Amino acid sequence: MENGFIILFGLTMLYLAATSRLVAHIRLLVVQGILLFLICACNFEHQHALNIAFLTVETLIVKSIVIPWFLFKVVKKTHANRDIGANIPHFYCLVTASIILIAGFLVSNYFTGSSTMKMISPIYFGVSIATIIISLWLITIKHKIISNVIEFITMENGIFLLSLSVAKEMPVLVNMGVLLDVFIAIYILGLFVNEINREFNDLEVSNLSDLKDYNND
Amino acid sequence: MINVILIFPIVACILMALIKKRAFDCAMVNVYALLHIVSTTLLALNIGRENNIPYFTVDNTNLIFLIILSLVFFMVAIYNTGYTKTLDYPDKKIGHYSFMIMVFVLAMTGTILSSNLGIAWIFVEATTLSSAYLIYFNKTKHSIEAAWKYVFICSIGIALAFVGIIFLNIAQGNINTLDFAQLYKNALLFDPFWLKLSFVFMLFGFGTKMGLAPVHFWLPDAHSEAPSPISALLSATLLNSAFLVIVRVFKVLDIAQCDAWARTMLLITGFVSLFVTAVFVYHIKNYKRMLAYSSIENMGILAIGTALGGAALYAVILHLIGHSLAKASFFLTSGNVLELFNTKRIKSVRGLMEADKKTGWLWIFSFLAICAFPTSVLFISEFIMIKTMIIEKHYLLCALFVILLTIVLWGIGRVVIKTTFDKLSEDKVQSVQENKKKLCACMFIPQAIMLIIVFVLGVYIPPFLNSIINCATAGF
């Protein structure tokens, strides 16, 4: 069951790579949040009540309600609809993302032989690393800054999955601080998206390339 | 004492939010700066080190970082008093500005004092978020670009550092701790492969905040667009606090005997930083960006010194002190230049000495301090590093080091001499004279004090400071 959810999580990244509508991307974040909750829920019997409460709040409330709601508001306000004109056509994006995902599985399977990897499930590890890499790669090819924010969130989701894979608990204080920081970071990025929209009237990344050393003025 | 510096800003921020008076907001920043330096002095004298909030501590390693932070913040607060008077923004905006400075310094203090890697991570990210507003303070197209790049690049870097922390967790096997003391104690039991992998992620993650090339891209933009007191804080204290986290993680690898790997990584990033500065400083068109590149160079020197180890560690601490004070002074003086000429373009700034003698001399002496002219303390530190390289028979590295430093020196020196000694163009005389009236005494005194400290430390290091530095080198 757990593995099924993780594989679904990996597949959401392929969907992200292959589509261009921003609203669909944000809906995907909701799906990812719910999947992360289900993955956590499979391990709930081994954990403290405090940790269960925290994970539920983090995945169900913050990751699948608050952040997507905030992004919906930003998209509505800035009238951003699609991220067209990415550097690479969607089909090739899909192919590359699939290759990264498969490579994630292969690499993690390769490492399961070593002794220290015993406590990490290879499927967790492979999907989370692939998610992080696909997100970073998508950040480099997308043209709208709001897509960059969305991919930043999927990267954070990948890191969250990775931290679940270690099956060791960090102090609750650390977990809460991390969540708070990530949340504020997304909030600030969202505010900046609005400001950039106000200042430049669109959300193209290419607007933000004025500060450099080798220009001719 | 630690409790005081960590809790006071929270209380002050609440009061500031309630009272909303410009004079009160500015006064609170100064009170915090004073409190910070008094508490740090007491901590340095070994008074009040007990009864801390959990997860925070003062030890031999972070004491020197705390002293630098306190001193620079105190000087910047003095400068800031004069600087805010020159701004004609509404009171509300100045209130936000003072509020964010408090949060920013609190986040840096938290990073330096934390005894737990997880807590340190949280505070490093908090520094990014709190300084984003400060960089965006002027609300121009350029400042929004700088702030966006800063938040986005640093957040991604810090997220990767968190991956490093997770890998460190994997390396620990059955042990589960992020406390630095526990990490040092158990380091020998860690799995070397995962430990090395985690170091790579943490070096690049925290290195993003420290401004090490090749992950330095936010730095010149952010430093050049931020108001000058903030640039000084960013360059002289923020980069140091990220460096402290790297040093702490490096120590874990050192104990676990994986240090050869870590040293190679540090050496590579250090030399890439020097190289990047040498290339870009050549073509520079904006004097604040030039200073930012110089920060990258100096962070590179710190990384190289840490990698060399041995006697070079003493030099690293000296360099840390010297760079923080000299660069803070340089950035604050650049604020005066900006005030006089209203431009950051090097081409448009000529005849600084003619425009304002005091700013001109501060500009020259800041340059001499940063380019390691004897008796600047940076001369001693760079000399010790070069000596260490020769003793350890790294002749090639030594030659490369010297050549790159010379290129950077030439690049900066050319700009400084041109801007200071050329003739002031006649159409500017009037506006410069007008702007000169805005500069008050507290926009000169902090730089002068910091420069005196830098030049005195080059000939005489007081015994108590010497013992603090010697204790700190043990923590590397």
Side-chain angles (χ1 to χ4, degrees), chain B residues 29 32-33 36 68-77 101 105 233:
Chain B
V29 174
Y32 184 37
H36 209 292
I68 297 172
L69 171 63
S70 286
L71 187 60
V72 172
F73 177 43
F74 187 65
M75 295 301 164
V76 168
I101 289 186
V105 175
L233 276 181

Side-chain angles (χ1 to χ4, degrees), chain A residues 75-87:
Chain A
V75 167
K76 221 172 177 182
K77 201 168 175 188
T78 54
H79 307 294
N81 191 10
R82 276 168 185 279
D83 189 345
I84 32 172
N87 296 347

Side-chain angles (χ1 to χ4, degrees), chain B residues 31 46 71 74 115 144 148 150 178 193 207 228 244 256 273 316 326 328 344 353 372 377 437 468-469:
Chain B
V31 171
N46 221 341
L71 187 60
F74 187 65
S115 61
I144 197 171
W148 170 265
Y150 174 61
L178 287 177
F193 171 77
S228 298
L244 175 66
S273 306
V316 167
K344 291 177 199 156
M353 211 48 118
V377 66
K437 288 176 199 147
I468 289 175
I469 296 175

Side-chain angles (χ1 to χ4, degrees), chain B residues 4-5 51 136 143 167 259 280 289 304 368 447 457 470:
Chain B
V4 174
I5 21 182
N51 298 331
Y136 179 52
S143 68
F167 285 163
D259 57 321
F280 279 86
R289 285 181 80 87
I304 292 170
L368 290 178
Q447 293 99 304
L457 282 184
N470 276 322

Side-chain angles (χ1 to χ4, degrees), chain B residues 126-197:
Chain B
T127 58
T128 314
L129 304 175
S130 51
S131 46
Y133 175 78
L134 297 171
I135 292 169
Y136 179 52
F137 181 64
N138 286 325
K139 300 211 170 180
T140 59
K141 278 188 178 179
H142 281 162
S143 68
I144 197 171
E145 181 184 338
W148 170 265
K149 283 184 189 168
Y150 174 61
V151 176
F152 202 67
I153 295 176
C154 286
S155 292
I156 289 179
I158 296 295
L160 291 179
F162 196 74
V163 176
I165 294 179
I166 294 171
F167 285 163
L168 183 67
N169 241 326
I170 298 177
Q172 289 171 359
N174 296 322
I175 311 153
N176 182 15
T177 179
L178 287 177
D179 190 77
F180 287 120
Q182 294 288 324
L183 284 175
Y184 297 157
K185 211 166 119 194
N186 298 314
L188 271 172
L189 305 171
F190 293 171
D191 182 78
F193 171 77
W194 289 100
L195 198 57
K196 286 176 187 170
L197 197 61

